[in-house]
Each structure stands twice: as C-alpha cells, then as structure tokens.
Amino acid sequence: TCCEGTGRYLEGIAELSKTLTPQSRDAQAFFLRAKFYYKMSNFRAAQNDLQKTDELLPDDPLAQLRRGQCELALGHLKEAVK
C-alpha cells in the first residue's frame, strides 16, 4: 500500500478505513491497518483489527503473534500467552 514503511501511518489508516467496515472480509486490510495502529502505539485499535483478522484467518501465526504483542503492550499478560 501507499504508506507502509514511510512513517505516514495516519494516511494509511485513513485510506484503509475508507473501505473497511465491521462486515468487511479483507483480512489483509485489517492486518495492515493493525500494523499501522501498532506502530503508532495505539494498541487497543490494533488489537481490535487483529481480532477481526483472527476471525477471518484463524490459523495465521503472524496475526496471532501480533495480537499477543498487543495484549502484552496493554498489560494483559494472561491473554498475551494464549
């Protein structure tokens, strides 16, 4: 996408948010937006998008890892090791 690696995470979030709704089925878009949120230390928003990614791709190890990292950053130690 346009903003990955450029530090323009807000722009990336805005672009992705134009098309993503709670009913969206694009796991990659949710994952990418979560990545941008995570890089901005918005761990709650990243966690929400990673939860949606996990619903769409329940066996994705990278999404599970990132979700655990968010849980850890939020101080949820038990949830981080699930």
Side-chain angles (χ1 to χ4, degrees):
T1 66
C2 67
C3 308
E4 187 169 14
T6 66
R8 299 184 310 186
Y9 303 124
L10 285 173
E11 182 181 333
I13 290 167
E15 278 299 308
L16 290 163
S17 295
K18 288 178 185 177
T19 58
L20 288 175
T21 68
Q23 295 76 31
S24 294
R25 308 288 303 158
D26 190 343
Q28 290 181 324
F30 279 109
F31 183 80
L32 184 57
R33 189 171 70 174
K35 180 178 176 180
F36 292 152
Y37 280 133
Y38 187 88
K39 292 201 178 253
M40 294 178 54
S41 299
N42 188 343
F43 303 117
R44 177 76 58 210
Q47 179 188 41
N48 290 339
D49 277 357
L50 289 167
Q51 183 173 349
K52 185 66 175 178
T53 302
D54 192 44
E55 291 171 14
L56 297 170
L57 294 173
D59 296 323
D60 186 311
L62 186 55
Q64 292 170 357
L65 173 67
R66 295 285 186 248
R67 192 166 173 204
Q69 290 171 327
C70 285
E71 294 286 3
L72 189 61
L74 291 167
H76 303 155
L77 302 181
K78 284 184 181 180
E79 292 83 357
V81 295
K82 284 185 181 179

